[in-house]
Amino acid sequence: MARIGVLIEARGGEVKKTTLGALTAARRDPEGEVYALLPEPNAEACHGVLRQYGADRIVAIRTPEADISLFPDVQAAALAAAIDRFQLDALLGVSGQAGRDLLARIASIAGAPLVLDCLDIDFPSGTVRKSHFSGKTTATLRLNGRPWILGIRPNIFPEKIDPRPCDIVLYEAPVPTLKRLVIREVKQGSSGGPDVSEAEIIISGGRAVGSAENFRILKECASVLGAAVGASRAAVDAGFASHALQVGQTGKTVSPRLYIACGISGSVQHFAGMKTAKVIVAVNNDPDAPIFQKCDYGLLGDLFEVVPALTRALGLTQAK
Ligand code: FAD
């Protein structure tokens, strides 16, 4: 039976939703035993949700550090040691900003094959499919050697409830005393709203939004929809939105249920970050905009008319 570890991202006992999708991905191995590796102190608080979403066992990793997340190389060493201790065949994490950094460090310590941005995993054949060249192609890769270290594209596997009798094991990890990197301060981004990489619905604005002040119309629509606000790089470079909102090749990768692109032309670099959205809606006033070739629904019109009208219509629907 394969033992599959899942790197759990949690804060203060709250597990990130994208992490639950990684648990669901791990459960795709019918023979697999799923170990949730939790490098944070609130294992008890996370137990209910991890058990509910398919963890067979929680490994609560302890180190002498009160907050291990401040020491990336210590955290990676502790996780690599846990993989070794529990003889895991694979470690799955989320290919978000934190996961990419940590998984690469773990693979380097473990001398293991690493694949990020995975779209699919076939456990029996030992192959994974991943996005390539900004999403223009996909590649199927065979993994030689173990453990496999895999970063899954956020929201590619919708989380599924699959309750298990799940125990918690405490693991005191031996870690290096040398801390080569220390995170001194983490500042909350100025974006305010929900994280785009976690969101189920995103409404994004492009260059055509015209100013930071105009992003207000997207925020109003987002609050009615329960959505996060995203942005194209052109909007971010122009200072209309913070980089935390940027979707695309050099921004965040998202896979929401619904992506509404307003005043975004549909460059290949933007698509690289959102092409796996289940439904794409484009609002654009140019009938020849490339995004109309790639969306599910296109609204030809001025975003300054369409978006407020959408907000009003949705608000009315909710009020009924
Ligand atoms: P534009 O291309 O200028 O499009 C604006 C659109 O708004 C047009 O289609 C126009 O018809 C429409 N419009 C104008 N007025 C209105 C109106 N009133 N109502 C409705 N529609 C209107 N881009 C990203 O987004 N994310 C990335 O991560 C990213 N990474 C990159 C990495 C590299 C290496 C490079 C070279 C580029 C990258 N880019 C990225 C930039 C990308 O190539 C595009 O330049 C960018 O996506 C364009 O942003 P946009 O669609 O907002 O602007």
Side-chain angles (χ1 to χ4, degrees):
M1 179 192 286
R3 291 180 170 188
I4 301 167
V6 176
L7 171 58
I8 303 299
E9 288 187 42
R11 267 266 158 217
E14 197 169 326
V15 179
K16 279 190 157 190
K17 183 179 148 293
T18 44
T19 286
L20 301 178
L23 273 174
T24 300
R27 283 257 69 103
R28 284 160 61 99
D29 183 353
E31 304 287 305
E33 195 181 358
V34 175
Y35 285 61
L37 303 192
L38 192 57
E40 81 133 47
N42 296 301
E44 297 290 346
C46 299
H47 179 249
V49 71
L50 295 178
R51 171 187 170 279
Q52 188 75 347
Y53 284 90
D56 292 306
R57 169 166 284 189
I58 296 172
V59 178
I61 298 173
R62 296 276 184 274
T63 70
E65 301 302 337
D67 186 355
I68 192 178
S69 69
L70 300 179
F71 308 101
D73 49 354
V74 173
Q75 195 175 11
L79 284 155
I83 290 173
D84 196 38
R85 161 67 183 79
F86 294 95
Q87 295 287 293
L88 301 182
D89 295 293
L91 177 70
L92 273 56
V94 176
S95 248
Q97 273 175 346
R100 283 172 177 274
D101 181 83
L102 196 49
L103 293 169
R105 291 176 193 278
I106 296 167
S108 154
I109 295 168
L114 167 75
V115 184
L116 297 174
D117 221 9
C118 296
L119 304 174
D120 202 3
I121 307 169
D122 185 46
F123 286 102
S125 68
T127 56
V128 295
R129 195 163 59 82
K130 71 157 287 183
S131 174
H132 244 208
F133 301 119
S134 309
K136 280 190 219 121
T137 60
T138 59
T140 300
L141 309 176
R142 183 179 306 285
L143 295 142
N144 290 325
R146 300 224 167 183
W148 307 340
I149 309 290
L150 305 177
I152 292 166
R153 179 177 275 218
N155 299 317
I156 270 290
F157 295 95
E159 70 278 11
K160 267 201 215 136
I161 291 186
D162 187 356
R164 306 271 156 165
C166 168
D167 60 346
I168 302 180
V169 189
L170 285 183
Y171 173 57
E172 300 283 346
V175 290
T177 45
L178 177 66
K179 293 168 191 135
R180 284 170 295 185
L181 194 61
V182 180
I183 296 175
R184 289 268 174 231
E185 188 183 13
V186 178
K187 279 192 181 166
Q188 184 69 38
S190 55
S191 69
D195 182 0
V196 276
S197 40
E198 291 277 308
E200 298 239 332
I201 305 177
I202 299 171
I203 178 161
S204 278
R207 194 195 307 272
V209 175
S211 70
E213 161 57 17
N214 289 347
F215 257 79
R216 183 181 40 81
I217 63 167
L218 299 187
K219 288 179 189 159
E220 284 166 1
C221 192
S223 81
V224 180
L225 270 172
V229 174
S232 73
R233 177 161 158 181
V236 170
D237 287 351
F240 307 161
S242 96
H243 184 259
L245 305 190
Q246 186 180 317
V247 172
Q249 185 183 333
T250 43
K252 289 189 176 154
T253 303
V254 300
S255 289
R257 279 193 291 117
L258 173 63
Y259 189 87
I260 308 174
C262 306
I264 292 179
S265 56
S267 67
V268 69
Q269 293 89 358
H270 190 77
F271 254 78
M274 42 61 82
K275 64 185 285 185
T276 49
K278 307 287 173 299
V279 175
I280 298 171
V281 176
V283 181
N284 202 298
N285 64 2
D286 175 3
D288 297 324
I291 196 154
F292 283 139
Q293 306 298 319
K294 305 172 187 171
C295 66
D296 299 289
Y297 299 95
L299 287 162
L300 180 62
D302 184 338
L303 74 92
F304 295 103
E305 291 170 12
V306 173
V307 177
L310 196 60
T311 309
R312 280 195 300 279
L314 291 165
L316 286 177
T317 316
Q318 283 188 349
K320 277 183 191 165

